[in-house]
């Protein structure tokens, strides 16, 4: 029963995110003359996928795919105004992040990768796994290298084929 409830909760969250995303897309479509594109905002915690982590805070064209990117996706997108229409928005200085099991506020434009760099070693290892941690830390691979152009998470063998220098640097 617990498993079924969890699956239903996940399905509802995914459908809700999809419907919200479609509503945001309609707003974007109706305001293209003042918009540069949209920014992806990923959830900052240890359950965020590499797909969403690699897209966090990046600006995309209005026609590009937008969240949800996968089942149980929690990322959202927000409009980005063209430069001539941008102005500072009072109060837009922080965003929520899960740190040590508590929700805290961090800089509004900190990326998932920046968030991850600020986390303790144990969190980084738990999130990335030992091999990806070494590739990220010693091999100097950014999180966006862990997914392909179709937003599929790359296996370590696929990563090795694409980034052999990073494996050498990481001693893997």
């Amino acid at each position: 029963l617990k498993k079924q409830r969890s699956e239903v909760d996940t399905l509802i969250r995914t459908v809700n995110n999809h419907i919200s995303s479609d509503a945001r897309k309609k707003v974007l479509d109706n305001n293209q003359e003042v918009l540069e594109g949209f920014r992806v905002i990923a959830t900052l915690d240890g359950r965020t996928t590499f797909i969403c982590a690699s897209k966090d805070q990046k600006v995309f064209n209005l026609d590009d795919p937008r969240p949800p990117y996968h089942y149980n996706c929690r990322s959202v997108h927000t409009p980005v105004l063209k430069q001539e229409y941008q102005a500072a928005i009072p109060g837009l200085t922080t965003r929520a992040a899960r740190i040590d099991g508590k929700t805290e506020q961090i800089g509004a434009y900190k990326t998932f990768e920046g968030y991850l760099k600020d986390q303790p070693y144990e969190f980084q290892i738990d999130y990335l796994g030992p091999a990806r941690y070494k590739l990220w830390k010693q091999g100097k691979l950014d999180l966006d290298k862990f997914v392909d152009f179709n937003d599929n998470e790359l296996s370590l063998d696929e990563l090795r084929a694409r980034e052999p220098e990073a494996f050498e640097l990481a001693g893997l």
Side-chain angles (χ1 to χ4, degrees):
L1 188 63
K2 282 185 180 182
K3 184 178 181 205
Q4 288 176 332
R5 182 177 190 92
S6 175
E7 289 172 354
V8 168
D9 287 347
T10 298
L11 179 61
I12 290 170
R13 184 179 307 112
T14 303
V15 170
N16 187 28
N17 194 358
H18 180 73
I19 292 168
S20 297
S21 182
D22 281 349
R24 284 187 200 94
K25 171 90 169 91
K26 288 184 186 347
V27 171
L28 297 178
D29 289 345
N30 290 331
N31 292 285
Q32 288 186 23
E33 67 279 356
V34 299
L35 296 176
E36 176 183 319
F38 66 88
R39 180 182 318 277
V40 172
I41 310 295
T43 301
L44 300 180
D45 67 14
R47 296 184 308 136
T48 300
T49 64
F50 292 135
I51 296 165
C52 293
S54 70
K55 294 177 180 299
D56 186 45
Q57 294 297 327
K58 291 185 180 172
V59 176
F60 296 91
N61 293 324
L62 292 172
D63 294 332
D64 287 341
R66 62 200 184 284
Y69 293 118
H70 54 82
Y71 189 65
N72 203 23
C73 185
R74 299 171 296 147
S75 293
V76 297
H77 66 281
T78 61
V80 175
L81 295 170
K82 290 180 179 175
Q83 189 64 41
E84 62 265 29
Y85 300 108
Q86 289 183 11
I89 300 172
L92 185 60
T93 58
T94 63
R95 69 187 277 202
R98 293 291 289 172
I99 300 172
D100 293 330
K102 298 178 282 197
T103 302
E104 296 184 17
Q105 296 297 311
I106 64 170
Y109 295 104
K110 181 169 254 181
T111 64
F112 188 93
E113 192 144 10
Y115 159 78
L116 187 59
K117 286 177 182 174
D118 291 344
Q119 298 310 302
Y121 167 80
E122 295 80 16
F123 181 93
Q124 294 171 350
I125 285 287
D126 187 49
Y127 179 74
L128 294 168
R132 281 191 173 82
Y133 173 81
K134 283 185 174 182
L135 289 168
W136 179 64
K137 204 69 162 177
Q138 298 165 337
K140 309 284 189 232
L141 275 188
D142 292 334
L143 293 180
D144 60 0
K145 299 292 186 186
F146 295 157
V147 295
D148 67 13
F149 298 114
N150 294 317
D151 291 336
N152 298 307
E153 185 178 323
L154 296 171
S155 70
L156 290 175
D157 289 336
E158 291 168 325
L159 275 171
R160 184 184 306 277
R162 288 178 182 227
E163 305 288 343
E165 305 85 26
F167 276 78
E168 270 186 52
L169 284 171
L172 295 172

